[in-house]
Amino acid sequence: MSDDHTHVREFFTARAADWDSRFPDDGPAYAAAVADLGLRQGDRVLDAGCGTGRALPPLRSAVGPSGVVTGVDLTPAMLQAAARAGRDRHGRLMLADVAALPLRSGSLDAVFAAGLIAHLPQPDENLRELARVVRPGGTLALFHPIGRAALAARQGRQITPDDLRAEDNLGPLLASSAWHMTSYVDEHARFLALAVRED
């Protein structure tokens, strides 16, 4: 396991037990972002870096009983918190690394990724791996329940020009990873970038 993975697991393991209680009002933002992903009944969707599984209920509602919802995360404690919250009823939880997903190429219609991009050790390669498991024309949502400026203020830091989530950085990054960005919103109350898997 790389040092990047060790750091990410340690960071989230220490916070898993009270993660949901620290951010109790994020539910509507998750539901709205899932709605913007444009899922249909029967779709197959991955929640990449699912954490405590807050996106799983709206994802299940969007794809219905005939759809497939899978949540993957690198941190066992986060998956355990998701199961304790009963979110495993809405989708399958898997311990997995988004850099090497145990999924067939082209097997998904969409990927939802909340707060993931800042934790990717190799964003270009990692986004390409997400593209691998999505069919051409499938969609990606990169989401955070607050915008970049609000998140930076919460963390006591400044936004820097090299921030991957900046529109001028994210568009080319996605393009180099087999995605085409179709929408970008960075407001106080949410961050959401949508992209389509290119042929």
Side-chain angles (χ1 to χ4, degrees), residues 41-192:
Q41 296 285 304
D43 275 355
R44 299 154 297 168
V45 60
L46 172 69
D47 185 0
C50 67
T52 61
R54 289 179 292 173
L56 297 181
L59 289 171
R60 170 56 66 197
S61 293
V63 303
S66 63
V68 175
V69 177
T70 303
V72 302
D73 202 274
L74 189 64
T75 306
M78 289 300 244
L79 295 174
Q80 292 160 8
R84 280 195 305 274
R87 296 182 183 126
D88 54 339
R89 295 192 306 267
H90 302 281
R92 179 182 176 204
L93 297 175
M94 294 174 55
L95 181 65
D97 183 355
V98 297
L101 291 164
L103 300 169
R104 287 182 294 109
S105 296
S107 61
L108 301 173
D109 298 293
V111 173
F112 184 87
L116 178 69
I117 194 165
H119 300 287
L120 297 178
Q122 297 174 303
D124 188 63
E125 291 181 21
N126 303 150
L127 289 167
R128 195 172 295 114
E129 173 66 357
L130 294 179
R132 180 188 67 79
V133 299
V134 174
R135 62 170 175 78
T139 52
L140 168 69
L142 299 174
F143 165 72
H144 200 281
I146 58 176
R148 292 190 309 130
L151 182 60
R154 176 189 287 174
Q155 296 172 343
R157 60 176 177 82
Q158 298 291 320
I159 295 177
T160 59
D162 62 346
D163 183 352
L164 289 179
R165 291 163 290 196
E167 187 171 9
D168 289 345
N169 297 332
L170 187 57
L173 174 62
L174 287 166
S176 71
S177 308
W179 297 100
H180 171 69
M181 190 162 69
T182 58
S183 175
Y184 181 91
V185 176
D186 182 18
E187 302 169 339
H188 179 80
R190 76 167 178 169
F191 174 90
L192 182 65

Side-chain angles (χ1 to χ4, degrees), residues 16-39:
D18 68 344
W19 187 262
D20 286 353
S21 64
R22 291 174 64 201
F23 310 108
D25 302 321
D26 287 350
Y30 273 80
V34 168
D36 285 343
L37 190 51
L39 294 168

